[in-house]
Amino acid sequence: MTLYVGVALVTAAVLLFILQPVVKGLHASLERDEDELTETEARKRVALLALRDVEYDFLAGKLDEEDYRSLKGQLTAEALAALEADEAARGQGGRPADGDIEAEIVRIRAGLKTGFVCAGCGFTNEEGSRFCSSCGHALADQAVG
Ligand SMILES: [Zn+2]
């Protein structure tokens, strides 16, 4: 039981650690108004950057696989919600503002549309994948090409 509580605390600490600079960055950019980000754009950016940080931390060995999957699943859901909110807010005439982030968005959206985002763990798989490369879950059977 003590171990379980310890794991939960570490997970919470890792989450806070990851989100803290991102949240600070959000406030900073909103205050400075440097890119004239809308609230939904800022939210989308924060979610996507957090998602990317989780991937980096996992690759760097700072997160174990269980934490990684859990965080990634949560952040993916958040990023997608933010994407939809942003899209709704700007209507159909929106233009990409940040190539890096937009590329990430395109990747996630393409994954979602085609079923390459794993329903089991939230991992975004390469286009054409039939099984999740993170957990092995079978992906939606979509025609490829
Ligand atoms: Zn998976």
Side-chain angles (χ1 to χ4, degrees):
M1 187 186 93
T2 320
L3 179 63
Y4 181 80
V5 172
V7 169
L9 283 175
V10 168
T11 304
V14 167
L15 187 61
L16 281 174
F17 176 75
I18 289 169
L19 292 179
Q20 192 176 39
V22 178
V23 172
K24 277 180 185 166
L26 170 62
H27 287 304
S29 67
L30 285 180
E31 278 165 22
R32 275 186 272 131
D33 201 26
E34 58 182 6
D35 287 325
E36 296 187 352
L37 285 177
T38 66
E39 190 181 332
T40 52
E41 278 172 341
R43 190 178 149 210
K44 174 181 73 177
R45 187 178 287 221
V46 166
L48 290 169
L49 288 175
L51 199 52
R52 199 172 59 178
D53 284 349
V54 166
E55 295 208 41
Y56 286 159
D57 282 352
F58 177 61
L59 290 174
K62 292 182 192 169
L63 285 174
D64 66 31
E65 197 168 344
E66 195 176 329
D67 286 343
Y68 168 72
R69 286 186 193 176
S70 151
L71 284 169
K72 176 123 186 172
Q74 285 172 20
L75 291 170
T76 299
E78 176 139 341
L80 289 168
L83 281 180
E84 289 186 6
D86 183 46
E87 200 161 88
R90 37 174 172 171
Q92 295 187 336
R95 294 190 60 239
D98 183 321
D100 212 26
I101 301 296
E102 291 297 327
E104 188 78 16
I105 293 168
V106 166
R107 188 171 74 92
I108 291 172
R109 293 195 54 164
L112 259 203
K113 279 184 182 169
T114 52
F116 298 132
V117 172
C118 179
C121 71
F123 186 83
T124 304
N125 291 279
E126 302 248 330
E127 194 172 336
S129 302
R130 304 193 66 172
F131 297 93
C132 176
S133 54
S134 176
C135 74
H137 192 281
L139 301 171
D141 197 7
Q142 298 277 339
V144 176

